[in-house]
Amino acid sequence: MNPPRPLGTSGGSIVDLREHNLSQVLLVLAAESPLSRSKIAARTGLGITAMTKLIAELRDRQLVIEVSDTNPAAMGRPTNLIALARHHWATASLSLDNGTIHASIGGIDGKHSTAFSVPTPMSLEIDEYIEYVGIALNQIAAECRSSGHELLAVEASVPGAVNSSSGVMMRSILNGWSRPYPLRQELLNLLSHIEGGVSPSILVGIDRATNYSLLSRIRDLELPGEIDSVAHLGGLYAVSGGIYSRSALEHGSTGLAGEFGHFVIDPAGAQCWCGRRGCVETRIGLACLYARCSGSGITEAELVPQLAQRHEKMVGELLARARAGEQVVLRELDRAGYWLGITVDTIAAVVNPRTLIIDGYLAALQEFLRPEMGKQLASIGALPSIAELGIIFAGDPFAPVNNGMHIAAGRAVAQHPAAAAH
């Protein structure tokens, strides 16, 4: 099943209007749950009478449940609150990395509960890799059957160029995939051959890994729901990013909005593994940093295929050597901090976000990157785009992206409640 059209685009029938109103209720609950009927009505602009009928229908579809208000300060007659349900529908995440598929199962409330990994041979072509994705999906479905759940939404992340609208993975050099591949359609094909545990109306989404990380960071940091603009710079082991505006990810025309790792900031610089010259990746990329500090002659090109498996160990080694005072490492991290400052200034000028979240290995190395980054930004001058920018370094730099995938899956269900109508 292809994803349904967004609500409100198909002519305005009574059925469309009802689905739209159901979606509004679910989107409010996805942002904050549980809530009273009166608060949901106030935030959606719907009347209490209509709200009673909508909640009843969502209960019939097993998308929401009533829970007791446990607030000891509540006065008067106890009221029941409405929450997203976890007892029937399940969501799943698949993080497609070189050498490992990280999978997890959760609920439409955007939280996951079960995680496992499926190892794969290194540097497989996508046509061979997809067979292991099928193994992961079969295990997810088996878990759903055994727990009495039905899988309603799946999200898959790729470290690379992804068009989330068309469902095409354009390329993932980190995984060794260099050609467009209809990933969403292949996932749907795999799911269609699984007997039991999977909804016939299943929703499938794909996106860049850092977009999912951004969704997770926004929830973890408890930033306000109506956010005018947040930019994200990071990645577990390569430089990427994302943009979040007006409570939604900004994807751009082909899904690559926020791909900050391949801004050209040094036209006379080294050639990047993406094929261009002087990208941000060539100045602050983990493979570049590690290669320049190694002293063993290992090259960036040799390190790129190893990043998914070795990035935490590589970062740990750089930190240990820097804290031990090794001059070659301190010098390279100082230089990276300078170029990080230039990157932040470029993002601020182009995107003009209110907040910039930095995570992944850049956050892990922040104690050695921030001083030179700060000097560089101070030397540029107090332009409004920088002077008013809040920069947040993530405290848990290697948090898995599956949290963001479950948030995205829950939102997909909220936007398309008809998927649960059967």
Side-chain angles (χ1 to χ4, degrees):
M1 171 185 168
N2 289 323
R5 288 176 293 180
L7 294 169
T9 63
S10 56
S13 70
I14 296 298
V15 173
D16 294 331
L17 178 60
R18 188 166 188 80
E19 291 298 316
H20 173 77
N21 289 341
L22 291 170
S23 177
Q24 294 306 299
V25 173
L26 291 173
L27 287 170
V28 166
L29 290 171
E32 184 182 356
S33 175
L35 289 173
S36 66
R37 286 174 170 80
S38 60
K39 286 186 178 180
I40 299 172
R43 294 180 190 185
T44 59
L46 299 168
I48 289 293
T49 302
M51 186 58 54
T52 300
K53 295 179 180 179
L54 292 170
I55 294 298
E57 182 157 350
L58 290 171
R59 289 180 62 190
D60 289 343
R61 298 187 191 188
Q62 302 188 73
L63 290 170
V64 302
I65 57 172
E66 291 195 51
V67 297
S68 297
D69 185 354
T70 58
N71 181 6
M75 301 294 291
R77 189 176 64 183
T79 59
N80 284 340
L81 304 179
I82 307 303
L84 293 171
R86 289 183 62 91
H87 66 281
H88 182 74
W89 301 111
T91 62
S93 73
L94 295 167
S95 182
L96 310 184
D97 289 313
N98 191 4
T100 309
I101 298 168
H102 300 281
S104 64
I105 304 169
I108 62 172
D109 57 356
K111 299 175 183 178
H112 78 277
S113 54
T114 303
F116 63 91
S117 297
V118 175
T120 77
M122 294 293 291
S123 302
L124 282 179
E125 290 293 333
I126 182 64
D127 298 293
E128 299 172 290
Y129 189 97
I130 203 71
E131 296 179 15
Y132 292 88
V133 177
I135 294 172
L137 288 172
N138 273 285
Q139 186 169 338
I140 288 168
E143 292 277 353
C144 288
R145 289 193 298 270
S146 65
S147 62
H149 290 82
E150 191 168 359
L151 186 62
L152 184 57
V154 175
E155 295 283 334
S157 72
V158 177
V162 175
N163 188 327
S164 60
S165 177
S166 67
V168 174
M169 185 281 301
M170 291 178 281
R171 69 174 184 175
S172 176
I173 296 174
L174 292 165
N175 282 353
W177 305 334
S178 58
R179 61 181 174 85
Y181 186 81
L183 180 58
R184 183 169 61 208
Q185 187 56 53
E186 286 302 316
L187 292 173
L188 285 165
N189 291 341
L190 291 170
L191 288 161
S192 69
H193 289 93
I194 297 176
E195 295 185 5
V198 177
S199 167
S201 302
I202 192 164
L203 301 166
V204 175
I206 67 171
D207 210 336
R208 294 185 296 122
T210 44
N211 275 337
Y212 292 119
S213 290
L214 176 52
L215 288 179
S216 179
R217 293 302 181 194
I218 287 171
R219 174 173 285 189
D220 291 346
L221 293 168
E222 297 184 347
L223 297 177
E226 292 294 331
I227 301 169
D228 53 0
S229 184
V230 175
H232 175 233
L233 176 66
L236 295 181
Y237 46 82
V239 189
S240 187
I243 304 169
Y244 189 89
S245 178
R246 296 179 296 278
S247 300
L249 288 169
E250 298 286 353
H251 285 95
S253 61
T254 60
L256 299 180
E259 184 56 281
F260 303 131
H262 299 287
F263 273 176
V264 174
I265 57 173
D266 184 15
Q271 187 170 24
C272 181
W273 43 262
C274 77
R276 308 207 301 170
R277 186 171 293 279
C279 292
V280 170
E281 184 71 35
T282 67
R283 284 299 183 178
I284 62 174
L286 179 57
C288 293
L289 277 173
Y290 191 85
R292 289 197 293 263
C293 293
S294 70
S296 64
I298 192 168
T299 66
E300 175 195 2
E302 293 173 299
L303 286 169
V304 166
Q306 304 175 31
L307 287 172
Q309 302 297 317
R310 291 187 56 201
H311 61 279
E312 291 193 54
K313 182 179 289 188
M314 291 163 66
V315 171
E317 181 182 328
L318 290 176
L319 282 172
R321 293 172 63 189
R323 289 165 180 163
E326 285 195 36
Q327 289 304 303
V328 63
V329 179
L330 292 172
R331 183 172 61 250
E332 291 300 335
L333 290 175
D334 277 350
R335 288 175 179 169
Y338 165 82
W339 287 105
L340 177 59
I342 290 180
T343 304
V344 169
D345 178 59
T346 305
I347 294 170
V350 173
V351 180
N352 191 208
R354 184 177 301 276
T355 304
L356 174 65
I357 301 170
I358 300 177
D359 76 352
Y361 72 93
L362 293 172
L365 295 169
Q366 63 174 293
E367 67 183 278
F368 298 102
L369 298 178
R370 292 181 76 164
E372 288 301 316
M373 180 195 78
K375 290 178 186 178
Q376 172 58 20
L377 292 175
S379 71
I380 292 170
L383 293 176
S385 60
I386 286 292
E388 299 178 12
L389 176 65
I391 301 175
I392 299 173
F393 283 83
D396 181 12
F398 296 120
V401 300
N402 60 359
N403 295 331
M405 283 187 271
H406 287 288
I407 293 170
R411 289 186 178 183
V413 174
Q415 290 167 344
H416 305 292
H422 73 280

